[in-house]
Amino acid sequence: MPPSKLDSLYRRMLITRFFEKGWGKPENLRRVFQFRKIISSRESCFKLVPRDYPVEITKKEISGESTLIEGQFLTPLELHLPGVVPKASQQAHFQLLIPNKWKSEKHKPVCIHLAGTGDHFFWRRRNFVAKPLLKTANIGSIILENPFYGLRKPTDQTRSNLHNVSDIFVMGGCLILECLVLLHWCERNGFGPLGVTGLSMGGHMASLAATNWPKPLVLVPCLSWSTASAVFTTGVMSQSINWDMLETQYFSDGQYRERLSKMVTVIDDAFSAGQSFIKNFNQSLHELKEDISDTRKIQEDERNSNTCGDIYETQAGGSCPQDADSSIFLTKSLKNSKLDSDNLTIDNSKQDLSQKVNAIEKEGLPKEPTKSTLTNLMKFILPLSAQNKSDKIDITKTNWWEREALQFMRGMMDECTHLKNFSVPFDTSLIIAVCAKDDAYVPREGCSSLEDIWPGAEVRYLDAGHVSAYVLHQKLFRSCIIEAFDRAKKVYGKDTGEDLKCDTTYQQLLKKYDKNIS
C-alpha cells in the first residue's frame, strides 16, 4: 500500500523542526552509546534501579468514582550519567488515575502511558485513554511526562523541537529507567497486573521499556515498529530535519566521526534501493573515473591560464568564481547537463564533465574537504532541481542516498532504538501491537518485523495512515489494552513471578554515585 497522503500533508502543515543544533555534544553521544549496551540487557538494566527507589506524592484529588494522584522523582539516568539530562528534565512527573474501589482486591491492573511526539502534559492521555479505560475496564493508569516535554521542557526549547539528535536517545534512556521506577512503585503499593503502552514515539518507548522488566508485563505499542531509524531517515518526519546542519557537523571532525561510526551499526539494509540505483547507471563510476584520468593531460595545459571562464559558467558579467563559492556542485547551474530519467544517460560530453570535476579537485575547496568522490559525482549527475539549495530537501527521493551523514543517522538510531539490540520481553504472548498499513510516519519497508524479533507477539494492522489511525481508532487501541490485560489475568492471575532481583538499595545507589550528585 502507498504511504498515506494525509500523513504527508499533515507533516507539511506543522512548523516543528528537529535537531536544529546538530548531533549534540560528542562526549554525550559517546557516553549514551556506551550506556546503551548496559540498558539493552535486562539482567544489567534491571539492577540499575533499586526496588525502594523513592517516589514523592505531591497531590491527591478524590472525585466521585476515581482518585487522581500526582507524583515526582529524580530520573535515575541523572545518577548513572550525570550531566547528560538537562536540568529541567531531571525531575520526572506523573499522574496516577485509579478507581476509588477496585472490583477485586486481588486484581488491580495499572498501565503506564508514554507520550507520542508533541504530546505535552497529561490532559490528552488522561481524557482520551486513561478515563475510558477506568470506566469500561476498571484499569488504572500512570501518565508519565516525557523528558523535554511539558513540565520537563527546557526553557530554551520551542514546542517539541528537540535541539540535538542526542536528545532523543537521552529521552529514551530516561523513560526506560523511569518505567522501572514506576513498576517497582506499583508493586510496592499492591498494583498488578502491570502494563505499558503508548502511541507513535510513545509506542516505541514503551517497547524499549518493556524489554527490561523481568516479569510478565502487558505491552501494547500502537503506531510504532521495530526501530526509529526509518522514522527519521525515510518517513515524512525526515522532512523536518536540518540535514545541511547535520552533514556540516558530521564532516567537521574526522577523528570524532571515525570514533563514533565504529560504535554504531545499521541493523537492517536500509540502503538497498540506493545501492541498486547506483548499480544501474549506464555509465559506471569506474568509467567516470577513467574519464577524469584521461583528461588530466588536457588540464595540465590549462594550469598556466589565469582565466576561469572556460571551466565555469559565471552567473553575472563573467566574474571569476574564486570570488564567490566556487563549487559548481553546490551553487552553480550547469547548463547543457541533463538527466534522462528513462535511459539515465548524460548529455554533456565526457570531456566537459571531466574538465569540471578535475577543476574542482585543483581548487582544493576548503568547504567540502571530506566529501567523497561519489557524493560529488552524484551531485553533477542529478537533475538541476535536486541541486537547488533553496528547494526543500526530499531525502526520500533523489538526495537521501548521497548523504553520508544520513547513513550515520541510520546507524545511530538503529544502535540505540532497534529492538534487536534489546532483550526479548519476558512473555511475548502479552504483546498486542497495532500498526497502520499506510503509515508514512513509521515506514516498515526494509525494517525487521516485530513477529520475527519477538516470536509469539501479535501484530494487528489498521487500514489507515498514521494520522487517520490516531484520530479515528482510539477505541481500538483501548480495546487492545483491555484484551491484553485480560490475557495476563487468565495466564498469571496475581502471580507476577520472580526472575531477577535488584539487591541494591536506594541509599547504596546514592553512595555509589555520591561524587556525581554532590
Side-chain angles (χ1 to χ4, degrees), residues 438-458:
D438 307 330
D439 200 325
Y441 275 83
V442 187
R444 296 187 304 278
E445 186 177 357
C447 300
S448 303
S449 69
L450 290 177
E451 296 97 330
D452 293 338
I453 300 174
W454 292 341
E458 181 181 353

Side-chain angles (χ1 to χ4, degrees), residues 61-72:
E61 294 181 0
I62 300 177
S63 60
E65 298 180 352
S66 63
T67 298
L68 182 65
I69 297 173
E70 295 187 5
Q72 63 183 25

Side-chain angles (χ1 to χ4, degrees), residues 25 107 115 132 141 273 290 307 313 343 359 376 416 477 506 516:
K25 295 180 180 179
H107 183 71
S141 296
E290 286 185 348
T307 62
E313 184 72 30
N343 300 316
N376 288 333
C416 294
F477 300 148
Y506 180 67
N516 294 332

Side-chain angles (χ1 to χ4, degrees), residues 217 425-432 454-458 484 487-488 491-492:
L217 184 70
F426 183 86
D427 186 353
T428 56
S429 69
L430 301 182
I431 301 174
I432 301 178
W454 292 341
E458 181 181 353
R487 288 184 189 177
V491 175
Y492 295 100

Side-chain angles (χ1 to χ4, degrees), residues 226-448:
S226 58
T227 177
S229 58
V231 174
F232 293 102
T233 56
T234 61
V236 295
M237 288 276 285
S238 62
Q239 300 169 9
S240 302
I241 297 175
N242 188 343
W243 290 104
D244 290 332
M245 165 68 76
L246 294 179
E247 189 176 48
T248 299
Q249 286 191 1
Y250 177 74
F251 286 114
S252 64
D253 187 341
Q255 292 183 349
Y256 162 63
R257 180 175 71 252
E258 181 180 0
R259 190 163 62 248
L260 286 183
S261 296
K262 292 179 180 179
M263 301 179 70
V264 301
T265 304
V266 175
I267 303 298
D268 299 311
D269 186 12
F271 300 94
S272 57
Q275 293 167 351
S276 174
F277 180 73
I278 293 173
K279 288 179 182 179
N280 290 330
F281 271 115
N282 290 339
Q283 193 163 357
S284 67
L285 177 62
H286 176 71
E287 291 173 333
L288 289 173
K289 287 183 177 180
E290 286 185 348
D291 291 339
I292 296 172
S293 178
D294 291 341
T295 59
R296 295 204 173 188
K297 293 182 180 180
I298 298 175
Q299 296 299 323
E300 289 288 340
D301 297 335
E302 298 178 356
R303 280 184 180 175
N304 296 327
S305 174
N306 292 325
T307 62
C308 50
D310 293 337
I311 300 177
Y312 292 94
E313 184 72 30
T314 59
Q315 291 183 337
S319 61
C320 180
Q322 292 174 349
D323 299 331
D325 186 352
S326 56
S327 174
I328 59 171
F329 292 167
L330 292 178
T331 59
K332 302 298 178 181
S333 295
L334 296 182
K335 297 179 181 179
N336 303 323
S337 69
K338 182 178 66 174
L339 184 70
D340 187 333
S341 59
D342 296 326
N343 300 316
L344 289 176
T345 58
I346 302 175
D347 290 345
N348 291 74
S349 67
K350 293 183 179 181
Q351 181 173 338
D352 289 342
L353 170 62
S354 303
Q355 287 176 340
K356 292 178 172 62
V357 174
N358 206 16
I360 296 299
E361 293 177 347
K362 289 184 180 182
E363 289 290 333
L365 296 176
K367 290 189 177 179
E368 293 195 328
T370 52
K371 290 282 188 179
S372 66
T373 303
L374 176 60
T375 299
N376 288 333
L377 288 173
M378 292 307 174
K379 283 181 178 290
F380 180 79
I381 294 171
L382 284 174
L384 296 181
S385 59
Q387 300 173 32
N388 190 344
K389 301 301 285 187
S390 63
D391 289 346
K392 191 177 214 179
I393 296 175
D394 183 1
I395 63 171
T396 64
K397 296 184 191 267
T398 57
N399 265 6
W400 69 267
W401 49 265
E402 76 185 32
R403 295 173 177 270
E404 296 177 45
L406 186 84
Q407 185 167 7
F408 181 58
M409 169 74 87
R410 179 85 188 196
M412 289 178 67
M413 288 292 173
D414 273 350
E415 180 69 23
C416 294
T417 70
H418 203 297
L419 296 179
K420 275 188 176 181
N421 285 334
F422 291 77
S423 302
V424 176
F426 183 86
D427 186 353
T428 56
S429 69
L430 301 182
I431 301 174
I432 301 178
V434 185
C435 302
K437 287 183 179 179
D438 307 330
D439 200 325
Y441 275 83
V442 187
R444 296 187 304 278
E445 186 177 357
C447 300
S448 303

Side-chain angles (χ1 to χ4, degrees), residues 9 41 58 62 84 124 137 223 227 259 312 345 473:
L9 177 62
S41 169
T58 59
I62 300 177
V84 169
R124 191 178 304 173
L223 307 181
T227 177
R259 190 163 62 248
Y312 292 94
T345 58
H473 296 285

Side-chain angles (χ1 to χ4, degrees), residues 53 75 84 115 298 348 489 499:
Y53 198 95
T75 180
V84 169
I298 298 175
N348 291 74
K489 182 180 179 180
D499 185 25

